[in-house]
Amino acid sequence: MTAVIQAVINGTMMGAMYGLTALGLTLIFGVMKVVNFAHGSLLMVGMFTAYWLIKLTGIHPYLALLFVPPLLFFFGYSMQNLLIKPVFKAEQQVREPLTVIIVTTGVWYVLDNLALMLFGAEYRTVRTAITGTSFSLGEIIVSIPKFSGFLVSLATAAGLLLFMKKTRTGKALQATSLDREAANLMGIDQYRIYNMAFGIGTAIAGIAGCVIIPFYYVYPSVGVVFDIRAFIIVVLGGLGSIQGAMLGGVIIGLIESVFSQFMPSTWTEAIIYAIFLVILFVKPSGLFGHKQDW
Amino acid sequence: MNKVSFGKKLTGLIAAAVLTAGLSGQALAQKTIKIGNVEPMSGPSASVGVQGKQAREMAIEEINAAGGIKSLGGAKLELVYADSKSDPTVGVSETERLINTEKVNIMTGCWNSAVTYPATQTAERYGVPFVVPVSVRDTITERGFKYVFRVAAKDSWWVRDQFRFLKDMQEETGVKMKTIAFVFENGDWGTGFAEKWRDLAKKDGYEIVLDEPYPSTATDLTPVVTKIKSANPDVLMLVSNAADAILMTNTLAEMKVKPKVTIASGGGHADPKFLENTNKNALNMFDEVEWNTDVNKPGAKETNAKFKAKYGYDLAGESVDAYAAMYVIADAFERAASTDPKKVRDALAATNLTKGPAMIVSYDGVEFDESGQNKNAGIVIVQVAEIDGKLDRVTVWPKAARHAGYKPVFPANK
């Protein structure tokens, strides 16, 4: 029994972090109707930025949260402005511009290979003050890096929701996500909103990088590991939905953690894919998604 | 003017004549022997691939500086690299390319058993000799091939020695171990190990309380560690690649899971990055290697110092075997006095290398049995210990090779 409770706690913590890695993906999709294939690479950029910051300055890993997300925001903002916007402009009439997918795939390859050139293929981990530490609740042991990651993930999701509901920019993002022509007519600069969406999505990948780096390792193609999960989570939770991404993440985390108490952990991967397929058949809009997104 | 031009022509002619004569005479001397080398240079195993590459290059430099292959007029050795990305399909196509396009004289590699297995098959089909430094999978040399030779021990020997060690230590300390857990990466290497573990554990009368494969790209190993905790084994046996070995060790510490004895199987646990990233979390863990820096062999210290000065870190089992393999290859060409694959193959089969720079290996020599396996290859068990405030890997078994003055911590946790 203890093992199951332990597994539920671990699964929830890891799951929230999976949700966090999917948050940027779902936001960008929601607003731009673009599947950002470079998302995993942006997460990798976030992890490397956090890695070097912590490694070189020796600051506490969570202090990196003050620096990495703003940097990544700028990175994502500029990337959208310089690379994706022109393609969008060229394909103004298309609802789901396919060429953009090719651009994001290109960015994925360029970023991964750039990282390979700069840092080599080796995996890197930083030993931080909190690596390998934990606290216990009776017989249950809670890992500190994962628990902090869990809290940061929830806070990020809540913050993003509030931002979307309460601020003008957030409302503009929502409006654009509902109908970009109408939003345009209301005086919302569509491309600036896209820049914002991409920037925020990338900044969240930066947050994820900061909370993952104290316990996981980074290498140039690490994005792929998280990316596949993020895609499943986004489909599971509903494309474009923030709550959906978090809930989807936790569901995946729980499957991974709890199921593996009863079967070889190599099987859970297959189960996750099976669930992915079932959802595509039964409810392609996901748990919280809008039907019209499909 | 005419005269000058005639003189020029004459010199030219003479030069040309000398060159042609020289060339035919030097045809042998100019020759390079191409060693095709498939290694993981990118992807999760890239760091081992790079270490192997560096060790090979150091050996080749030494061999070439010492005059190359003398029986072939001082022919120089040249390495031709291909990246397997740890992918069997890529490994096979790169082997084909090296053999057909690069026209290599001999093959070596590929570190990942899953790549070496089909790559050696390809080389066998072309009749190109293949010297495998470390891939441990047994069947690599158990298919009746004529051109495949393995320098290091095969994995059944690794497992054999893990259990020998366990038995010896229980006798030495009088502490009995009853339950045992197997946790391994679900690749070829891990599952191969696990198969043999099961047999030997049953034979030695241990109770197997957990038998768990995991994917080495897992983002979280807490579920596996939770299972280990529930199983509460006396002995935990591990097979891990580099990144997951670090993740596993730190997660074990985090979840406060402390088996009495933890025995790893080299690979990721032997990676130089491992201790750097786990630090005291790895304390008292036993690991298995072909080689350790404190091994008591002539020249070992010097060669290690040279390597360290060159590349910034110590030699490891893989790199030592890769280093030794280059000397095995050089020795074979020397005795074959030919680049004919058949003759090189026969020379390799007759190898009996017991001295020279290659003998920094932990075992006594290189001599291949009928299957192409080095009969002498053996294993060393080390323990992660704190010596002078610094974590290090200390040789503890075989007892004869034990680091002077060190008393193994067994069991590591009460």
Side-chain angles (χ1 to χ4, degrees), chain B residues 250-270:
Chain B
N250 288 333
T251 311
L252 282 167
E254 217 171 57
M255 303 296 291
K256 302 190 169 69
V257 182
K258 291 171 180 163
K260 284 184 185 147
V261 174
T262 305
I263 307 175
S265 311
H269 289 93

PDB file of all heavy atoms in Angstrom, chain B residues 250-270:
ATOM      1  N   ASN B 250      21.124   8.655  -7.890  1.00  0.00           N
ATOM      2  CA  ASN B 250      20.604   9.805  -7.144  1.00  0.00           C
ATOM      3  C   ASN B 250      19.180   9.550  -6.655  1.00  0.00           C
ATOM      4  O   ASN B 250      18.821   9.981  -5.550  1.00  0.00           O
ATOM      5  CB  ASN B 250      20.669  11.070  -8.003  1.00  0.00           C
ATOM      6  CG  ASN B 250      22.096  11.563  -8.169  1.00  0.00           C
ATOM      7  OD1 ASN B 250      22.954  11.312  -7.316  1.00  0.00           O
ATOM      8  ND2 ASN B 250      22.370  12.237  -9.267  1.00  0.00           N
ATOM      9  N   THR B 251      18.387   8.840  -7.459  1.00  0.00           N
ATOM     10  CA  THR B 251      17.018   8.544  -7.023  1.00  0.00           C
ATOM     11  C   THR B 251      17.023   7.563  -5.853  1.00  0.00           C
ATOM     12  O   THR B 251      16.249   7.703  -4.913  1.00  0.00           O
ATOM     13  CB  THR B 251      16.183   7.980  -8.192  1.00  0.00           C
ATOM     14  OG1 THR B 251      16.350   8.825  -9.322  1.00  0.00           O
ATOM     15  CG2 THR B 251      14.714   7.925  -7.839  1.00  0.00           C
ATOM     16  N   LEU B 252      17.923   6.582  -5.886  1.00  0.00           N
ATOM     17  CA  LEU B 252      18.045   5.642  -4.762  1.00  0.00           C
ATOM     18  C   LEU B 252      18.355   6.401  -3.475  1.00  0.00           C
ATOM     19  O   LEU B 252      17.776   6.140  -2.422  1.00  0.00           O
ATOM     20  CB  LEU B 252      19.137   4.606  -5.036  1.00  0.00           C
ATOM     21  CG  LEU B 252      18.779   3.452  -5.976  1.00  0.00           C
ATOM     22  CD1 LEU B 252      20.035   2.700  -6.398  1.00  0.00           C
ATOM     23  CD2 LEU B 252      17.797   2.494  -5.330  1.00  0.00           C
ATOM     24  N   ALA B 253      19.265   7.368  -3.572  1.00  0.00           N
ATOM     25  CA  ALA B 253      19.635   8.145  -2.390  1.00  0.00           C
ATOM     26  C   ALA B 253      18.454   8.994  -1.913  1.00  0.00           C
ATOM     27  O   ALA B 253      18.161   9.062  -0.723  1.00  0.00           O
ATOM     28  CB  ALA B 253      20.822   9.042  -2.712  1.00  0.00           C
ATOM     29  N   GLU B 254      17.799   9.601  -2.875  1.00  0.00           N
ATOM     30  CA  GLU B 254      16.645  10.446  -2.572  1.00  0.00           C
ATOM     31  C   GLU B 254      15.568   9.654  -1.828  1.00  0.00           C
ATOM     32  O   GLU B 254      14.999  10.127  -0.848  1.00  0.00           O
ATOM     33  CB  GLU B 254      16.073  10.909  -3.908  1.00  0.00           C
ATOM     34  CG  GLU B 254      15.546  12.290  -3.969  1.00  0.00           C
ATOM     35  CD  GLU B 254      15.223  12.630  -5.424  1.00  0.00           C
ATOM     36  OE1 GLU B 254      14.420  11.898  -6.043  1.00  0.00           O
ATOM     37  OE2 GLU B 254      15.776  13.602  -5.948  1.00  0.00           O
ATOM     38  N   MET B 255      15.313   8.452  -2.315  1.00  0.00           N
ATOM     39  CA  MET B 255      14.240   7.638  -1.729  1.00  0.00           C
ATOM     40  C   MET B 255      14.755   6.805  -0.553  1.00  0.00           C
ATOM     41  O   MET B 255      14.038   5.952  -0.042  1.00  0.00           O
ATOM     42  CB  MET B 255      13.653   6.700  -2.796  1.00  0.00           C
ATOM     43  CG  MET B 255      13.108   7.403  -4.031  1.00  0.00           C
ATOM     44  SD  MET B 255      11.712   8.477  -3.679  1.00  0.00           S
ATOM     45  CE  MET B 255      10.469   7.271  -3.273  1.00  0.00           C
ATOM     46  N   LYS B 256      15.993   7.042  -0.175  1.00  0.00           N
ATOM     47  CA  LYS B 256      16.619   6.361   0.970  1.00  0.00           C
ATOM     48  C   LYS B 256      16.538   4.834   0.840  1.00  0.00           C
ATOM     49  O   LYS B 256      16.230   4.129   1.798  1.00  0.00           O
ATOM     50  CB  LYS B 256      15.980   6.826   2.281  1.00  0.00           C
ATOM     51  CG  LYS B 256      16.088   8.340   2.475  1.00  0.00           C
ATOM     52  CD  LYS B 256      15.674   8.734   3.882  1.00  0.00           C
ATOM     53  CE  LYS B 256      16.025  10.174   4.212  1.00  0.00           C
ATOM     54  NZ  LYS B 256      15.235  11.169   3.464  1.00  0.00           N
ATOM     55  N   VAL B 257      16.783   4.336  -0.330  1.00  0.00           N
ATOM     56  CA  VAL B 257      16.807   2.888  -0.550  1.00  0.00           C
ATOM     57  C   VAL B 257      18.251   2.423  -0.449  1.00  0.00           C
ATOM     58  O   VAL B 257      19.106   2.896  -1.205  1.00  0.00           O
ATOM     59  CB  VAL B 257      16.222   2.516  -1.928  1.00  0.00           C
ATOM     60  CG1 VAL B 257      16.204   1.021  -2.124  1.00  0.00           C
ATOM     61  CG2 VAL B 257      14.816   3.087  -2.064  1.00  0.00           C
ATOM     62  N   LYS B 258      18.512   1.543   0.543  1.00  0.00           N
ATOM     63  CA  LYS B 258      19.892   1.132   0.779  1.00  0.00           C
ATOM     64  C   LYS B 258      19.999  -0.378   0.891  1.00  0.00           C
ATOM     65  O   LYS B 258      19.970  -0.928   1.987  1.00  0.00           O
ATOM     66  CB  LYS B 258      20.399   1.761   2.088  1.00  0.00           C
ATOM     67  CG  LYS B 258      20.565   3.265   1.987  1.00  0.00           C
ATOM     68  CD  LYS B 258      20.843   3.852   3.355  1.00  0.00           C
ATOM     69  CE  LYS B 258      21.018   5.358   3.270  1.00  0.00           C
ATOM     70  NZ  LYS B 258      20.890   5.994   4.586  1.00  0.00           N
ATOM     71  N   PRO B 259      20.156  -1.068  -0.232  1.00  0.00           N
ATOM     72  CA  PRO B 259      20.387  -2.513  -0.147  1.00  0.00           C
ATOM     73  C   PRO B 259      21.730  -2.771   0.542  1.00  0.00           C
ATOM     74  O   PRO B 259      22.596  -1.892   0.545  1.00  0.00           O
ATOM     75  CB  PRO B 259      20.438  -2.947  -1.610  1.00  0.00           C
ATOM     76  CG  PRO B 259      19.945  -1.793  -2.398  1.00  0.00           C
ATOM     77  CD  PRO B 259      20.180  -0.581  -1.601  1.00  0.00           C
ATOM     78  N   LYS B 260      21.877  -3.959   1.118  1.00  0.00           N
ATOM     79  CA  LYS B 260      23.137  -4.255   1.814  1.00  0.00           C
ATOM     80  C   LYS B 260      24.312  -4.169   0.843  1.00  0.00           C
ATOM     81  O   LYS B 260      25.377  -3.678   1.191  1.00  0.00           O
ATOM     82  CB  LYS B 260      23.068  -5.651   2.428  1.00  0.00           C
ATOM     83  CG  LYS B 260      22.202  -5.678   3.689  1.00  0.00           C
ATOM     84  CD  LYS B 260      22.227  -7.052   4.322  1.00  0.00           C
ATOM     85  CE  LYS B 260      21.257  -7.091   5.494  1.00  0.00           C
ATOM     86  NZ  LYS B 260      20.655  -8.426   5.640  1.00  0.00           N
ATOM     87  N   VAL B 261      24.089  -4.705  -0.332  1.00  0.00           N
ATOM     88  CA  VAL B 261      25.162  -4.707  -1.328  1.00  0.00           C
ATOM     89  C   VAL B 261      24.576  -4.290  -2.684  1.00  0.00           C
ATOM     90  O   VAL B 261      23.537  -4.796  -3.079  1.00  0.00           O
ATOM     91  CB  VAL B 261      25.778  -6.121  -1.458  1.00  0.00           C
ATOM     92  CG1 VAL B 261      26.782  -6.160  -2.588  1.00  0.00           C
ATOM     93  CG2 VAL B 261      26.433  -6.530  -0.149  1.00  0.00           C
ATOM     94  N   THR B 262      25.237  -3.343  -3.343  1.00  0.00           N
ATOM     95  CA  THR B 262      24.824  -2.971  -4.695  1.00  0.00           C
ATOM     96  C   THR B 262      25.969  -3.304  -5.635  1.00  0.00           C
ATOM     97  O   THR B 262      27.098  -2.883  -5.406  1.00  0.00           O
ATOM     98  CB  THR B 262      24.506  -1.473  -4.773  1.00  0.00           C
ATOM     99  OG1 THR B 262      23.534  -1.172  -3.774  1.00  0.00           O
ATOM    100  CG2 THR B 262      23.956  -1.100  -6.137  1.00  0.00           C
ATOM    101  N   ILE B 263      25.673  -4.094  -6.650  1.00  0.00           N
ATOM    102  CA  ILE B 263      26.714  -4.455  -7.612  1.00  0.00           C
ATOM    103  C   ILE B 263      26.293  -3.982  -9.001  1.00  0.00           C
ATOM    104  O   ILE B 263      25.281  -4.441  -9.522  1.00  0.00           O
ATOM    105  CB  ILE B 263      26.972  -5.973  -7.643  1.00  0.00           C
ATOM    106  CG1 ILE B 263      27.240  -6.486  -6.229  1.00  0.00           C
ATOM    107  CG2 ILE B 263      28.131  -6.297  -8.567  1.00  0.00           C
ATOM    108  CD1 ILE B 263      27.375  -7.992  -6.161  1.00  0.00           C
ATOM    109  N   ALA B 264      27.055  -3.070  -9.565  1.00  0.00           N
ATOM    110  CA  ALA B 264      26.766  -2.598 -10.912  1.00  0.00           C
ATOM    111  C   ALA B 264      27.589  -3.406 -11.914  1.00  0.00           C
ATOM    112  O   ALA B 264      28.425  -4.215 -11.518  1.00  0.00           O
ATOM    113  CB  ALA B 264      27.082  -1.122 -11.016  1.00  0.00           C
ATOM    114  N   SER B 265      27.347  -3.179 -13.177  1.00  0.00           N
ATOM    115  CA  SER B 265      27.978  -4.019 -14.207  1.00  0.00           C
ATOM    116  C   SER B 265      28.816  -3.223 -15.188  1.00  0.00           C
ATOM    117  O   SER B 265      28.805  -3.492 -16.382  1.00  0.00           O
ATOM    118  CB  SER B 265      26.896  -4.781 -14.959  1.00  0.00           C
ATOM    119  OG  SER B 265      26.022  -5.401 -14.063  1.00  0.00           O
ATOM    120  N   GLY B 266      29.552  -2.243 -14.681  1.00  0.00           N
ATOM    121  CA  GLY B 266      30.370  -1.438 -15.594  1.00  0.00           C
ATOM    122  C   GLY B 266      29.485  -0.511 -16.397  1.00  0.00           C
ATOM    123  O   GLY B 266      28.465  -0.030 -15.894  1.00  0.00           O
ATOM    124  N   GLY B 267      29.837  -0.273 -17.633  1.00  0.00           N
ATOM    125  CA  GLY B 267      29.022   0.594 -18.495  1.00  0.00           C
ATOM    126  C   GLY B 267      28.849   1.969 -17.880  1.00  0.00           C
ATOM    127  O   GLY B 267      29.818   2.646 -17.567  1.00  0.00           O
ATOM    128  N   GLY B 268      27.598   2.344 -17.672  1.00  0.00           N
ATOM    129  CA  GLY B 268      27.306   3.671 -17.145  1.00  0.00           C
ATOM    130  C   GLY B 268      27.922   3.940 -15.798  1.00  0.00           C
ATOM    131  O   GLY B 268      28.363   5.055 -15.507  1.00  0.00           O
ATOM    132  N   HIS B 269      27.989   2.913 -14.957  1.00  0.00           N
ATOM    133  CA  HIS B 269      28.550   3.121 -13.624  1.00  0.00           C
ATOM    134  C   HIS B 269      30.055   3.322 -13.669  1.00  0.00           C
ATOM    135  O   HIS B 269      30.645   3.830 -12.729  1.00  0.00           O
ATOM    136  CB  HIS B 269      28.204   1.943 -12.719  1.00  0.00           C
ATOM    137  CG  HIS B 269      26.750   1.904 -12.347  1.00  0.00           C
ATOM    138  ND1 HIS B 269      25.831   1.178 -13.067  1.00  0.00           N
ATOM    139  CD2 HIS B 269      26.051   2.525 -11.374  1.00  0.00           C
ATOM    140  CE1 HIS B 269      24.631   1.351 -12.529  1.00  0.00           C
ATOM    141  NE2 HIS B 269      24.733   2.165 -11.514  1.00  0.00           N
ATOM    142  N   ALA B 270      30.676   2.872 -14.742  1.00  0.00           N
ATOM    143  CA  ALA B 270      32.127   3.016 -14.864  1.00  0.00           C
ATOM    144  C   ALA B 270      32.499   4.296 -15.601  1.00  0.00           C
ATOM    145  O   ALA B 270      33.670   4.641 -15.707  1.00  0.00           O
ATOM    146  CB  ALA B 270      32.697   1.805 -15.604  1.00  0.00           C
TER     147      ALA B 270
END
